[in-house]
Amino acid sequence: MSAKLSILLVLFWFLNFPALGQEKSKKELKAEQQQQKQKEIEALIDSKNFVFEAQKATPLGGRLLHLDYNTYFLKFSLEKTTCDLPFFGRAYNVAYGGDGGIKFEGVPENIKVEKKKKSYILKASVRGKDDVYDLLFTIFSDGGASLSVNSNNRAPISYDGEIEAPKTEEVKK
């Protein structure tokens, strides 16, 4: 009886051995996921169509401020760029009664993309209703990004956050 049991155990072990040998390690899985994420980010930058979600703000000469998650954004595309970001800092010439944030819609101009070793630099200018905004994105391969906003009427401010693909809006019937 024990001989049959030992033969069955050895046979079972040999049948499962090739399956164990082909499993991917955690390191390999993580590397594949990073590579997939890098390709997604590269495709977003090439299409120049993405959403930046701000998580932190750093005004000029100020301290780091944590923002409400998924509340503040900049939707960047070649047709129309929409921005709703908070502003902390010095404003020089702002319309009376404004809410104080950086809010604009416009078509981006002078778009330049530069590939670095582990990041991308994207520069653009957007003419809003009352001001011209110079945008400087530093986008990393993991999706993390920083955005610096310079304008004529406000002190410079920078934001840290992430970029992702724009959400498609479903048409309700």
Side-chain angles (χ1 to χ4, degrees), residues 100-117:
I102 298 176
K103 296 183 181 187
F104 63 85
E105 284 186 4
V107 178
E109 302 169 349
N110 304 326
I111 301 171
K112 296 177 185 162
V113 178
E114 183 180 338
K115 183 171 176 31
K116 296 281 186 176
K117 195 171 189 178

Side-chain angles (χ1 to χ4, degrees), residues 92-106 126-133 150-154:
Y92 307 114
N93 183 15
V94 180
Y96 180 75
D99 66 357
I102 298 176
K103 296 183 181 187
F104 63 85
E105 284 186 4
V126 180
R127 184 176 299 277
K129 190 174 89 177
D130 300 324
D131 204 351
V132 177
Y133 301 92
N150 291 325
S151 69
N152 296 331
N153 296 329
R154 300 172 192 253

Side-chain angles (χ1 to χ4, degrees), residues 46 59 65 72:
D46 289 342
L65 301 164
Y72 301 108

Side-chain angles (χ1 to χ4, degrees), residues 52-58 64-73 84-88 157-160:
F52 172 80
E53 291 188 0
Q55 297 168 349
K56 300 172 189 169
T58 308
L64 180 74
L65 301 164
H66 293 277
L67 304 174
D68 293 336
Y69 194 67
N70 291 339
T71 307
Y72 301 108
F73 64 90
D84 183 5
L85 294 170
F87 179 75
F88 308 97
I157 186 168
S158 64
Y159 302 91
D160 293 325

